[in-house]
Amino acid sequence: MNSFSRLVESILSNRSHQAETTGEVEHSNKGPTTAEKPNSATPINVIEIVAVGILTAAAAFALSKSVGWLGALRIQLSQSGNFWVLPLFGLIGGVMCGVIVKFIAPEITGSGIPQVKGFLRGHPIRMNLVSLLAKLAAGILSLGCGLPLGREGPTVQIGASLSGMFVSLLKSGEKLKRHFIAAGAGAGLAAAFNAPLAGVIFVVEELVREVSSTFVITAGLACFAAATMSDLLGNHSLDLSSHTDFPSCEFRFADIPYLIILGIVCGALGSFFNWLIIKGMTCRTKIFKQNYPLSIGLAGLICGLTVTLLPTGMHNFAGIKYLIIGHTPGLSFAATALAVSFFITIISYVSGAPGGLFGPSLTIGAATGYLLGATELGEWASASNAPDLFALAGMGAFFSGVARVPITATVIVFEITRDFNLLLPLLMTTMVAYTVGEKIYAGSVYDRLLELSSGAQNQEQKPEHKLEHKPENQQQKE
C-alpha cells in the first residue's frame, strides 16, 4: 500500500508541477500556498479517496436495502386486496419526502447529477453532511414508496457530498477539490451499478468533460474501491449477470439494420423524453413554486393509482427489466411497460422527488428494444435471440439518447451483463442514438436541467456571481 501511495503521489505531484509551469497555478513572490504546493498530493489524499469510495458503497448498500424493505412491505400489503395501499404509500411517502426537500435541503431534488455538475462549475451548491443525510432519507422515502426512479442519482450526490465533507474536514485544499467531488460522484455510480469503469468514464464524459491523469486516477481509485466494497456487501441490485436465467446473446450480421433503427428510435424517443422533462419542470415551477410536499405527494398518489390498475406482476417497476429480458413477456407486456414507465417516470421526476433517471432509462430502453427485436423475429425465424439482444442494446441506446453519454452507456450495460457479444450492438445503437438525439434536441438532460435551475438565479445574481479575478489570471497567462 505504501509503494502504491508513493506511485500515486508522484503522478499527482507531476500533474501539479505541470499545471504550475503552464500557468494554471498563480505565481507570487511569496511562493505557492499550502494548497498549491506540488507535494500537497500526500498519501492522505489516496486514503481519503479510497475512504470516500468505501463509504459511498456503504451508503448505496443502506439505500438499496432500505428501499427494498420498504418496497417489499408495500407490495405485500397491496396483495391482500387493499386497493388503497399503493396510492396511500405514494401519497404519504411523497409528502414526507417533500418536507425534507423543502425545509431541510432544497438542493437534493431530482437525480443530483445536475447539482454535482453545477458545483464543479462553481455554482454555490451545498455538498456536506446535511445534503448527504437528507438525500439518503428522502431517497429511501421516494423510491421505497413507489416512485419509479433510479437509485444511482442519490448515490452520485451522496458520493459527492462525502467528498465535500472530506475536503472540508481534512483541509485538502481547493486545488484538488474538483477532483475529489467528481471522484465521489463517480464512486456513487460505480456502487449503484457495480460498474467501476462506467463510473470513471462518466466522470470524464459527463461531469468534467476533461481528460487528465489526475481526474482519471482519483476517479479510478474511488470507483474501484466503491465497486469492490459494494461487491463484498452483496449489493447486486443492478447486476443482470448474477441472475441464473440471464440469456447469452448472439450478434448476427442481419441484426445490423434493425440495430440502426433501434438507435434512431431511442435517440428520437430520448429527445422527446428530455423535452417533456424540461417542459414539465417549467410548468411545475409555475404551478407549485417550491411546494414540494404537494407536488411530490401528488406524484406519489398518481403513480400509486396507475400501478394499482396494472397486473400484479407490474406492481414492482424496479424489477420489470428483469421480466422483459430472458422471460419472453410478450408484446402486450412490453408495450404496457414502455408506456407506463415513460409516463410515470416523467411525472415522478418533474415533481422534484429525489431519484435518478438511469434505472428508468434502462427499463424504457429494454421495452423499446424488445418490441423491435420481436418485430425482427417475426420476419426472420432464425433470429430467435433478437428480443433479448435488442432489449439489452436498447437499454444503452435509450440512456445514450437521454444523457448523451454513448461510451458510458455502452460500458454500463456491458459491466452489468458481462457479455462481450453485446459490445458491437451497444456501440452501434448508442452512437446512433446520440447522433440522432443531438440533431433533434441538443444537450443532455442534465445540462438542460442545470441551465433551467440556475438560469433565473444567474440573472438575479449576475454581478455577484461573476468572478472578478478571472481576467487578471488570463492576463498573467498571456
Side-chain angles (χ1 to χ4, degrees), residues 47 69 99 143 153 163 205 229 278 300 326 367 387 394 410 414 447:
I47 297 173
W69 175 83
V99 169
L143 304 181
S163 297
E205 189 178 22
M229 186 63 182
I278 300 303
T410 298
F414 169 70
D447 287 331

Side-chain angles (χ1 to χ4, degrees), residues 116-117 119-122 163 167 173-185 203 207-210 212 214-215 218:
V116 174
K117 293 190 69 172
F119 184 91
L120 294 173
R121 295 179 184 181
S163 297
V167 169
E174 295 293 326
K175 185 175 180 59
L176 292 178
K177 188 172 185 178
R178 291 183 70 243
H179 301 82
F180 282 105
I181 297 294
V203 168
L207 292 183
V208 298
R209 294 177 182 173
E210 172 185 338
S212 72
T214 311
F215 272 121
T218 53

Side-chain angles (χ1 to χ4, degrees), residues 61-298:
F61 179 76
L63 176 68
S64 176
K65 291 301 180 182
S66 300
V67 169
W69 175 83
L70 190 57
L73 176 63
R74 177 175 58 90
I75 297 300
Q76 182 180 2
L77 292 176
S78 69
Q79 290 176 348
S80 60
N82 297 319
F83 175 85
W84 50 266
V85 170
L86 296 180
L88 186 63
F89 258 81
L91 176 62
I92 295 176
V95 170
M96 294 174 63
C97 176
V99 169
I100 296 176
V101 174
K102 180 176 177 61
F103 296 104
I104 300 178
E107 69 275 6
I108 65 170
T109 60
S111 70
I113 294 175
Q115 290 90 320
V116 174
K117 293 190 69 172
F119 184 91
L120 294 173
R121 295 179 184 181
H123 294 266
I125 299 174
R126 183 168 56 178
M127 293 286 172
N128 56 16
L129 180 62
V130 174
S131 60
L132 187 157
L133 295 178
K135 189 76 172 186
L136 181 61
I140 291 172
L141 287 171
S142 64
L143 304 181
C145 289
L147 293 178
L149 300 175
R151 301 170 188 171
E152 76 295 328
T155 57
V156 166
Q157 192 168 10
I158 286 171
S161 298
L162 273 170
S163 297
M165 290 172 51
F166 272 80
V167 169
S168 300
L169 292 174
L170 300 179
K171 301 185 185 301
S172 300
E174 295 293 326
K175 185 175 180 59
L176 292 178
K177 188 172 185 178
R178 291 183 70 243
H179 301 82
F180 282 105
I181 297 294
L189 181 65
F193 286 94
N194 287 337
L197 288 177
V200 177
I201 295 173
F202 181 72
V203 168
V204 175
E205 189 178 22
E206 174 62 20
L207 292 183
V208 298
R209 294 177 182 173
E210 172 185 338
V211 180
S212 72
S213 60
T214 311
F215 272 121
V216 173
I217 291 173
T218 53
L221 287 171
C223 290
F224 280 94
T228 302
M229 186 63 182
S230 182
D231 189 62
L232 290 175
L233 292 173
N235 186 15
H236 299 290
S237 59
L238 287 172
D239 188 359
L240 295 178
S241 63
S242 64
H243 292 249
T244 56
D245 52 2
F246 179 75
S248 177
C249 294
E250 179 182 353
F251 172 55
R252 306 176 309 118
F253 181 79
D255 296 328
I256 293 179
Y258 292 92
L259 289 171
I260 294 176
I261 295 173
L262 176 62
I264 295 173
V265 171
C266 287
L269 194 61
S271 297
F272 183 53
F273 182 86
N274 290 357
W275 182 81
L276 288 176
I277 288 285
I278 300 303
K279 293 298 181 182
M281 294 287 286
T282 304
C283 292
R284 192 264 301 164
T285 302
K286 292 179 180 179
I287 297 173
F288 295 99
K289 306 297 181 182
Q290 302 299 316
N291 193 347
Y292 291 109
L294 179 59
S295 63
I296 301 177
L298 183 60

Side-chain angles (χ1 to χ4, degrees), residues 462-473:
K462 189 174 182 180
E464 298 177 4
H465 193 337
K466 186 176 180 180
L467 300 178
E468 299 294 339
H469 65 277
K470 188 172 181 179
E472 296 178 5
N473 292 343

Side-chain angles (χ1 to χ4, degrees), residues 1 4 45-56 218 221-222 225-226:
M1 180 65 185
F4 179 72
N45 295 138
V46 178
I47 297 173
E48 181 180 345
I49 294 169
V50 173
V52 166
I54 293 174
L55 292 176
T56 300
T218 53
L221 287 171

